[in-house]
Amino acid sequence: MKVKLFGAGGKVGSVLAPALEAAGHELVELEAAEAMIDFTAPDAVVRNIESALDAGVPCIVGTSGWETASVEAKALEAGRPVFYAPNFAIGAVLMMRFAADAAKHLPRAEIVELHHETKVDAPSGTAKATAEAMGGQVPIHSVRLPGIVAHQEVLLSQPGELLTIRHDAFSREAYVPGVLLALERVTTLPAGLTIGLDTLLS
């Protein structure tokens, strides 16, 4: 597939670009693209999505920290899908799924998320999505330090026991399989906004 990658020189993009080419995809400019992928920044992502929709190009978005509602109407109007995932690591998505299930049985929980010091948004999109899946009233603690990629712990407890569900991304290669899955499926998604890699996992 011909793909426009916004953020090709960034932390995720620099890993994703060669992985896309290794998987048989071709990196092109937006005018020639069959799909767009965005891993940029919250202040750039909406503009990139709007440009892609104006060009009739389906979108895959991994940038977090932006208001998704701002593009939903435009995606519907354009008749094109916008797929957004706060986390493309399959293990992280499974962590969120397990945490949501565990929250039905354990009454107290807190989330600790740790990311590199240059991450703009705090709490992370993954932490906010996890808390929402667990019922929405889960405290989140954010840590920003050098040397960290992306880590999240969900701690659930009741008297006498503690359950810890943890996911660690040691490199940004962890996001590649999820992005490739989204790229494979994006043209089959309905027009409008679809959120979460879990929607693509059976």
Side-chain angles (χ1 to χ4, degrees):
M1 184 180 289
K2 295 180 179 179
V3 179
K4 168 59 182 176
L5 175 59
F6 285 107
K11 290 181 174 68
V12 176
S14 60
V15 172
L16 189 55
L20 287 168
E21 292 180 324
H25 300 290
E26 180 185 355
L27 298 181
V28 298
E29 292 305 313
L30 187 58
E31 311 81 64
E34 298 169 282
M36 177 276 267
I37 299 173
D38 185 289
F39 280 88
T40 57
D43 60 353
V45 61
V46 173
R47 182 171 63 253
N48 293 339
I49 294 169
E50 289 176 344
S51 296
L53 291 175
D54 286 341
V57 177
C59 304
I60 297 168
V61 182
T63 304
S64 59
W66 58 285
E67 289 298 323
T68 56
S70 62
V71 302
E72 186 166 16
K74 187 171 181 67
L76 286 168
E77 180 184 342
R80 292 290 183 272
V82 173
F83 177 79
Y84 164 61
N87 198 316
F88 276 90
I90 291 174
V93 174
L94 293 172
M95 170 201 63
M96 295 164 65
R97 182 182 291 181
F98 300 156
D101 191 41
K104 300 171 186 175
H105 306 284
L106 294 169
R108 295 282 303 278
E110 300 205 9
I111 297 169
V112 181
E113 58 96 355
L114 307 91
H115 283 83
H116 52 92
E117 63 183 345
T118 58
K119 184 169 176 59
V120 177
D121 55 317
S124 69
T126 300
K128 289 191 286 188
T130 305
E132 184 177 344
M134 295 171 68
Q137 300 300 315
V138 183
I140 301 172
H141 309 275
S142 298
V143 177
R144 298 290 179 267
L145 289 171
I148 295 173
V149 177
H151 312 268
Q152 181 170 298
E153 285 187 344
V154 183
L155 300 97
L156 304 103
S157 74
Q158 62 183 359
E161 65 177 330
L162 171 70
L163 172 63
T164 301
I165 304 171
R166 180 179 174 105
H167 178 261
D168 299 284
F170 299 110
S171 81
R172 291 168 180 87
E173 291 174 347
Y175 308 132
V176 171
V179 173
L180 292 176
L181 174 62
L183 193 55
E184 177 186 321
R185 298 281 299 279
V186 68
T187 57
T188 69
L189 296 176
L193 183 66
T194 299
I195 298 177
L197 193 62
D198 58 302
T199 61
L200 306 184
L201 299 177
S202 57

